[in-house]
Amino acid sequence: VNTLENEAIIKDAKKNYELQLSAYSNLALNLVLHEKITAFFDLLHKTLKSGAKPEELLYNVNFSKPSVKRLFDSWSDRDARAGIEKVYMRVEKHFAETPNLKPVVWASIKDNFLKSSSTFSQDFKRVYGNDLPIPFDMQNLISFIERQLHQ
Amino acid sequence: VRYSVKKRSGLFSYVSIFPKFIHHFSEFDDQPIINQFVQSSFKKIWQAIFHNFELLHKEVDPQDEKDQINASVMTIGNFIFIQFRKFTLPREYFGE
């Protein structure tokens, strides 16, 4: 077997798989945090990455403190729990034919949640410091997912 | 066999059969002609399997979220199956 060639094929396939897994987990995250909130954090991340100064962002209408407060007010813990239940039902439905794979999918979703949450809080702290708290604690949401899984 | 993003399927037939197929052939390791045949075919089969995964994504209508979900679910399910199965197959088949 030409191992080098096989390695390249598997590497490409793995990249494709990781891309799909992250797309799937992002859809799950949208259900838990609301699409508007994830869109806000994505935009914040892209803007900071493009070199914008954090202190100047507060004058941008998308990132001003009142608009962020309004955005967070529209979200509640209860919505997140309902979202997690929805995600649970979705995974059950999508992977019904391959039940052995469900734990792996859940583990990936949880990993993705944690990764996103650390990016969210880093970006958020850079702009708002300790003035505004992020209303959700991802660790809490994940423990709720785990409780849901064990039910 | 062609699978479509319009209809979600679990494991693809060729994905579930492939590890068994390789196992059967690896029993003939001591027969150089068969072994050579398996080794030369292996790359082509891998390529065909993963090419089909890519075809799924080319079929996705970007406006249709359901297509996207179906393609993701099928890729994830089949790839994880291959990942699990690979530990029962000889390492050299995976270029490691």
Side-chain angles (χ1 to χ4, degrees):
Chain A
V1 177
N2 187 335
T3 52
L4 276 179
E5 281 181 355
N6 278 342
E7 203 170 351
I9 298 167
I10 304 268
K11 216 175 179 181
D12 279 353
K14 203 167 182 188
K15 214 186 269 176
N16 182 16
Y17 156 77
E18 276 162 6
L19 215 73
Q20 294 313 317
L21 194 58
S22 125
Y24 189 76
S25 307
N26 283 342
L27 281 175
L29 194 63
N30 280 346
L31 283 179
V32 177
L33 288 186
H34 283 190
E35 217 161 309
K36 273 186 195 168
I37 293 184
T38 48
F40 162 79
F41 280 110
D42 283 345
L43 187 65
L44 183 66
H45 186 68
K46 276 182 198 157
T47 316
L48 286 172
K49 218 175 173 187
S50 70
K53 286 183 182 165
E55 56 276 13
E56 284 172 8
L57 284 185
L58 293 172
Y59 299 105
N60 182 322
V61 71
N62 290 320
F63 303 115
S64 68
K65 283 183 189 174
S67 60
V68 174
K69 266 185 194 163
R70 259 200 310 277
L71 179 72
F72 286 168
D73 282 346
S74 67
W75 181 89
S76 75
D77 245 7
R78 196 188 289 170
D79 294 344
R81 285 171 188 217
I84 286 170
E85 273 164 26
K86 236 187 239 177
V87 173
Y88 179 78
M89 306 280 269
R90 269 197 176 189
V91 174
E92 284 293 309
K93 186 177 140 198
H94 291 157
F95 294 90
E97 289 178 49
T98 46
N100 295 341
L101 306 181
K102 273 187 261 177
V104 186
V105 175
W106 272 115
S108 314
I109 289 178
K110 281 191 279 181
D111 273 358
N112 193 281
F113 273 30
L114 279 177
K115 217 186 284 170
S116 305
S117 114
S118 79
T119 317
F120 288 174
S121 53
Q122 271 173 16
D123 291 341
F124 198 78
K125 271 209 168 140
R126 272 184 72 190
V127 180
Y128 304 97
N130 293 323
D131 294 351
L132 273 180
I134 296 186
F136 52 85
D137 178 359
M138 203 55 97
Q139 205 61 52
N140 269 349
L141 293 180
I142 283 174
S143 45
F144 185 72
I145 289 178
E146 268 157 9
R147 275 204 301 277
Q148 180 79 28
L149 286 176
H150 288 115
Q151 266 175 23
Chain B
V1 188
R2 263 307 292 281
Y3 290 92
S4 164
V5 289
K6 299 291 173 200
K7 189 176 180 297
R8 201 171 45 243
S9 331
L11 276 186
F12 297 164
S13 54
Y14 45 84
V15 170
S16 58
I17 287 170
F18 189 50
K20 290 178 203 156
F21 169 82
I22 292 294
H23 253 307
H24 286 308
F25 275 100
S26 63
E27 286 166 12
F28 298 101
D29 259 357
D30 51 340
Q31 297 183 32
I33 297 174
I34 296 176
N35 200 19
Q36 203 178 349
F37 166 73
V38 173
Q39 295 200 1
S40 62
S41 314
F42 193 82
K43 189 189 144 206
K44 287 181 196 161
I45 301 173
W46 263 141
Q47 260 169 342
I49 289 178
F50 293 132
H51 179 63
N52 276 347
F53 287 3
E54 281 165 21
L55 282 183
L56 274 182
H57 298 289
K58 283 186 184 152
E59 205 192 313
V60 171
D61 172 3
Q63 306 297 323
D64 192 344
E65 196 185 64
K66 206 173 171 193
D67 276 10
Q68 179 62 55
I69 291 176
N70 284 351
S72 297
V73 168
M74 288 195 270
T75 308
I76 294 168
N78 283 282
F79 195 89
I80 293 176
F81 179 82
I82 292 171
Q83 284 275 64
F84 275 145
R85 279 299 188 151
K86 85 179 201 180
F87 299 112
T88 65
L89 293 173
R91 287 174 71 84
E92 65 267 25
Y93 289 120
F94 293 92
E96 288 172 351

